[in-house]
């Protein structure tokens, strides 16, 4: 899929069973995957406001990673690709001109349309706390929110159960990926 003749940037949502189970929400921006840890996972219900804590940028190749990060390494634990696809930035200035997505993020509010295998429609990331604010403890916080569009889920849970969720890449669960890794190569 393309935007003005260029391929759309990618997104991925990985479930990461690390020290604490969480979802990693990643958007391709300026040659890297900008990343947020989302403890309760993204929701397709517009009434759900999901905490999203920025983490380090990842290389674009990481969007396909599924496996077990060994003990002793940063982020050790099992990872599956819960959702993947492309997205379309939606930010515009007052005159209707498109705003670069990295600029929207720097300003603290970015809207985008997801074309995933599971997540669809308009979402927004909004910074609610800067890391340099006196009460922040040095930690920045964002909210990931689904727009109230025709693709929204209402009246029910809008988030997946991470323990029963299946990979968008392989169809495997966290448990199946961990079990295959414990059996060794070719597992």
């Amino acid at each position: 899929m393309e935007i003005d003749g260029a391929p759309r940037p990618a997104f991925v949502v990985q479930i990461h069973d690390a020290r604490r189970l969480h979802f990693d929400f990643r958007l391709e921006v300026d040659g890297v995957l900008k990343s947020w840890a989302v403890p309760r996972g993204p929701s397709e219900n517009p009434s759900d406001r999901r905490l999203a804590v920025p983490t380090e940028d990842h290389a674009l190749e990481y969007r396909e990673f599924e496996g077990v990060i060994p003990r002793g390494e940063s982020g050790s634990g099992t990872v599956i690709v819960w959702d993947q696809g492309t997205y379309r930035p939606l930010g515009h200035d007052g005159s209707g001109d498109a705003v670069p997505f990295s600029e929207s993020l720097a300003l603290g509010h970015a809207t985008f349309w997801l074309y995933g295998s599971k997540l669809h429609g308009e979402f927004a990331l909004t910074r609610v706390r800067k890391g340099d604010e006196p009460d922040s403890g040095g930690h920045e916080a964002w909210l990931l929110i689904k727009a109230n569009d025709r693709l929204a889920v209402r009246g029910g849970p809008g988030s997946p159960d991470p323990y029963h969720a299946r990979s968008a890449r392989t169809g495997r669960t966290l448990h199946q990926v961990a079990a295959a890794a414990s059996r060794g190569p070719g597992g």
Side-chain angles (χ1 to χ4, degrees):
M1 297 183 194
E2 298 184 355
I3 302 173
D4 298 328
R8 279 195 193 122
F11 85 92
V12 65
V13 179
Q14 293 162 310
I15 299 177
H16 190 176
D17 192 4
R19 195 169 23 131
R20 289 193 178 117
L21 181 79
H22 65 278
F23 292 72
D24 287 310
F25 185 80
R26 306 185 197 282
L27 296 169
E28 179 183 349
V29 181
D30 296 338
V32 298
L33 293 173
K34 293 289 187 188
S35 301
W36 292 262
V38 182
R40 294 180 56 207
S43 176
E44 292 191 289
N45 187 330
S47 64
D48 292 339
R49 308 287 193 252
R50 296 295 190 225
L51 174 66
V53 179
T55 63
E56 69 278 359
D57 294 347
H58 285 63
L60 292 178
E61 296 78 23
Y62 198 76
R63 71 180 177 265
E64 298 178 357
F65 178 75
E66 190 165 279
V68 177
I69 302 168
R71 284 186 190 267
E73 290 189 25
S74 177
S76 65
T78 306
V79 176
I80 64 170
V81 173
W82 177 73
D83 195 14
Q84 61 186 356
T86 62
Y87 76 96
R88 179 173 45 96
L90 299 175
H92 292 85
D93 64 16
S95 64
D97 292 330
V99 172
F101 196 70
S102 56
E103 187 177 320
S104 293
L105 288 172
L107 292 171
H109 182 76
T111 57
F112 45 94
W113 191 278
L114 294 180
Y115 301 91
S117 56
K118 298 175 183 174
L119 295 174
H120 308 279
E122 185 178 338
F123 286 80
L125 276 164
T126 302
R127 186 173 46 229
V128 293
R129 183 177 64 218
K130 291 184 176 184
D132 60 358
E133 293 174 348
D135 295 336
S136 72
H139 301 288
E140 190 171 297
W142 294 65
L143 292 177
L144 176 63
I145 304 167
K146 172 73 175 113
N148 193 13
D149 60 21
R150 62 182 172 77
L151 301 172
V153 171
R154 294 169 189 81
S159 296
D161 173 352
Y163 293 106
H164 294 98
R166 294 196 171 271
S167 165
R169 291 182 48 91
T170 63
R172 299 185 302 171
T173 64
L174 284 166
H175 175 76
Q176 289 169 326
V177 168
S182 70
R183 290 192 296 271

